[in-house]
Amino acid sequence: MSTNKNAEPSFNQAVQLYFEKAAAIKKDSYPEGLLEQIREANSVYRMHFPIKLGDKYEVIEAYRVQHSHHKLPCKGGIRYSIHVNQDEVTALASLMTYKCAIVDVPFGGAKGGIKIDARKYDEYQLERITRRYTTELIKKNFIGPSIDVPAPDYGTGGREMAWIVDTYVTFNPNNIDAYGCVTGKPVQQSGIRGRVEATGRGVFFGTREAVSNAEDMAALGLTTGIEGKSVVIQGLGNVGFHSARIFAENGAILTGLSEYEGTIVDESGKGFDIHDVMRHRKETGSILNYPNAKSLDRNAVLELECDILIPAAIESVIHLGNANNVKAKIIAEAANGPVTPGAHQILVDNGIMVIPDVYLNAGGVTVSYFEWVKNLSHVRFGRMDKRLRQNARNKMINVIEAATGKTIDSSSRQFADEGPSEVDIVRSGLEETMISAYRDIHKVWRENEAVKDLRTAAFVVAIEKIAASYMGLGIFP
Ligand code: NAD
């Protein structure tokens, strides 16, 4: 199969094309130069640093791009991948700017990347690389709770964030807010409950909101609701695994899954148990040859029949070469940039609904925002009011029992009785964020003749909010 990759724009050009499409709709609304200012990356830091690994030195290439300073701090993950380059990090940083605006998270966009294949290094070597990268960021004032706050992305997680915060705190012992220099930290190191699953849970909330619209679903030949929908997922890392788990917990049927080594298609008719698939992978080193499943090659996952396809691995996997073969009715973009602009047009023309990355995977940064707020306020969510709410509900139940003469059974009482914990508050804040943001985007899509798809609508919403912010600053009066 030809991929026609040479005919496609780079990742950063792709994001700019999406931006330009929305900007063309808004161009008469703003002073000259404002849209250009929003589009361009503000600061790019490209670095090389040496690391002694064993008896030889290796020179590591790394980046931090701050796309927008219209709100501070900047915010965005750090990626470890051999494919990291300036174009990719810039594209990801700009997506962060638009994403934060769409979900009303008060940050400018940023992104970092280290060009390594993390699987080739042991834990000690990865720690040294991470700590050295953090030191480089500190030296150039590219990290800090009020400057720029990284988070996990492809190839990184809580472990790397723990090394980053430890390094930052070591260099900034007098900064009482130093723990807010990075998010996605382990809970024991000032992280927040619910962050690890946040992007996957946000993908679920956003998709659930999209499939709740009867008119939109009728146009796709689908009924409303997640329950019973067939779901196929590419990539079972942080985002893919938690998306799979939460969709299945809510009644979706996981009919196809893929990882680096290939694709598996369920033949049991019941759908995959994601925990059992992960156990199989741990034991055998692969998801392939899973019982009652057909094994196919890695890219076959994108062309399976299903209601919802969730690409949750890397960018540009749906391109001009395979877009016409996509049979899903909805593409829920959990990864950043999984669909190229040419492919996006083909999918839209083919009547497929694409729920765009720039909105749909914002759950991670939303809960990162909650973590940062927690770090700055130095108090766990729920600590001050959990018992208060519990007591208030208890009193209410007593009043109802006294007024009705009926006794509420103990399990219902216990359920009604419990005050919200930190994770309850985080999930509720995330749910509210994803629902409200979808409604904003959907309204722009449905009420503007010129806006033909959800992605363009999402960029229009982002432009409106960022422009208002610049104009509020008096920079573009
Ligand atoms: P991860 O490293 O935890 O997982 C990615 C998984 O994809 C890995 O298991 C990898 O083996 C697999 N993979 C790589 N290439 C593949 C291929 N061709 N086919 C199938 N599987 C493949 O990364 P992650 O944090 O889950 O990030 C995944 C995507 O989601 C990225 O695009 C990232 O930018 C985006 N994202 C992540 C977050 C977050 O909070 N982690 C937030 C927003 C967006």
Side-chain angles (χ1 to χ4, degrees):
M1 182 182 64
S2 153
T3 63
N4 285 338
K5 282 233 163 158
N6 291 338
E8 309 252 22
S10 73
F11 189 6
N12 193 37
Q13 288 166 341
V15 179
Q16 296 213 350
L17 279 172
Y18 293 138
F19 177 89
E20 290 302 343
K21 202 168 168 187
I25 295 166
K26 300 295 303 178
K27 70 177 185 315
D28 296 331
S29 313
Y30 302 117
E32 210 181 324
L34 177 52
L35 291 170
E36 193 184 345
Q37 172 60 32
I38 295 175
R39 189 188 63 210
E40 295 303 325
N42 292 175
S43 312
V44 179
Y45 178 19
R46 174 167 179 253
M47 67 199 95
H48 286 91
F49 52 82
I51 287 279
K52 192 167 187 215
L53 301 171
D55 55 1
K56 60 181 173 49
Y57 282 94
E58 201 172 308
V59 176
I60 306 280
E61 180 182 333
Y63 299 85
R64 184 75 186 169
V65 173
Q66 296 174 346
H67 174 260
S68 181
H69 296 146
H70 77 287
K71 289 197 188 234
L72 289 172
C74 297
K75 189 89 190 75
I78 296 177
R79 172 175 287 207
Y80 289 1
S81 158
I82 202 62
H83 303 294
V84 161
N85 58 55
Q86 188 171 319
D87 182 274
E88 180 188 75
V89 183
T90 307
L92 291 163
S94 60
L95 277 175
M96 284 304 296
T97 296
Y98 309 134
K99 196 176 298 183
C100 289
I102 288 166
V103 291
D104 282 331
V105 162
F107 297 138
K111 205 80 180 188
I114 306 186
K115 188 177 168 60
I116 51 167
D117 179 352
R119 288 170 298 190
K120 290 204 180 130
Y121 300 90
D122 62 30
E123 194 173 16
Y124 173 68
Q125 294 171 330
L126 283 173
E127 179 174 349
R128 292 193 58 203
I129 293 169
T130 306
R131 287 184 183 278
R132 179 62 196 256
Y133 174 71
T134 311
T135 311
E136 295 296 327
L137 295 178
I138 294 168
K139 264 163 57 181
K140 289 278 188 289
N141 216 11
F142 259 71
I143 184 171
S146 56
I147 298 169
D148 189 348
V149 182
D153 191 68
Y154 186 94
T156 60
R159 181 184 66 171
E160 287 74 16
M161 303 308 115
W163 293 330
I164 291 172
V165 74
D166 187 57
T167 310
Y168 185 82
V169 169
T170 305
F171 280 95
N172 294 276
N174 292 325
N175 183 349
I176 191 141
D177 294 326
Y179 276 85
C181 74
V182 66
T183 58
K185 303 177 291 289
V187 174
Q188 304 76 3
Q189 269 167 298
S190 303
I192 195 166
R193 289 161 188 82
R195 173 61 183 89
V196 175
E197 61 163 32
T199 306
R201 191 167 286 280
V203 169
F204 168 73
F205 285 142
T207 310
R208 188 190 65 184
E209 189 57 24
V211 304
S212 70
N213 185 304
E215 209 181 308
D216 294 347
M217 290 306 104
L220 298 171
L222 292 173
T223 53
T224 56
I226 291 289
E227 193 156 357
K229 293 237 168 3
S230 54
V231 172
V232 164
I233 302 186
Q234 179 191 46
L236 302 173
N238 174 294
V239 179
F241 168 75
H242 288 290
S243 297
R245 177 177 69 77
I246 296 164
F247 272 81
E249 282 168 6
N250 286 275
I253 303 162
L254 302 175
T255 53
L257 299 171
S258 84
E259 247 300 328
Y260 221 74
E261 59 273 12
T263 299
I264 50 173
V265 184
D266 176 58
E267 291 193 319
S268 73
K270 292 191 233 141
F272 289 114
D273 172 342
I274 186 66
H275 298 284
D276 200 51
V277 171
M278 298 315 276
R279 179 202 52 77
H280 172 84
R281 187 171 196 238
K282 205 168 174 195
E283 279 172 21
T284 67
S286 166
I287 59 169
L288 300 178
N289 303 316
Y290 185 75
N292 297 319
K294 187 161 61 178
S295 295
L296 299 172
D297 74 64
R298 180 160 66 182
N299 294 327
V301 70
L302 301 164
E303 300 180 15
L304 296 176
E305 297 263 5
C306 61
D307 296 326
I308 304 171
L309 169 64
I310 305 181
I314 45 166
E315 55 264 22
S316 307
V317 292
I318 301 176
H319 44 72
L320 289 173
N322 63 4
N324 265 317
N325 303 336
V326 171
K327 297 176 198 72
K329 300 204 166 94
I330 298 171
I331 297 186
E333 292 187 337
N336 281 308
V339 175
T340 65
H344 183 250
Q345 196 54 53
I346 293 173
L347 298 173
V348 172
D349 290 346
N350 288 350
I352 296 170
M353 177 189 239
V354 182
I355 314 175
D357 53 359
V358 70
Y359 155 69
L360 194 64
N361 67 28
V365 73
T366 301
V367 176
S368 275
Y369 167 49
F370 301 156
E371 180 177 333
W372 178 77
V373 169
K374 174 185 177 182
N375 293 153
L376 299 193
S377 61
H378 301 268
V379 65
R380 165 171 55 80
F381 288 106
R383 179 166 174 178
M384 303 300 285
D385 56 355
K386 182 176 158 82
R387 298 289 152 189
L388 184 74
R389 294 200 209 185
Q390 197 174 20
N391 293 338
R393 288 192 203 184
N394 221 342
K395 278 188 191 144
M396 177 77 79
I397 291 170
N398 292 343
V399 170
I400 293 169
E401 282 184 340
T404 60
K406 290 187 179 151
T407 307
I408 291 173
D409 68 79
S410 61
S411 71
S412 305
R413 178 181 264 276
Q414 198 186 348
F415 176 72
D417 210 20
E418 272 178 15
S421 64
E422 179 171 80
V423 76
D424 297 328
I425 295 171
V426 164
R427 285 179 182 164
S428 147
L430 175 60
E431 184 172 12
E432 161 58 19
T433 302
M434 295 307 293
I435 292 174
S436 308
Y438 187 81
R439 291 182 182 170
D440 288 349
I441 296 167
H442 190 268
K443 193 165 184 287
V444 169
W445 179 33
R446 288 307 186 204
E447 291 184 1
N448 290 276
E449 190 74 19
V451 177
K452 308 282 184 210
D453 53 76
L454 279 168
R455 194 189 311 278
T456 308
F459 275 84
V460 166
V461 169
I463 288 172
E464 284 173 349
K465 292 187 181 174
I466 301 165
S469 174
Y470 269 115
M471 291 164 92
L473 290 171
I475 298 172
F476 286 90

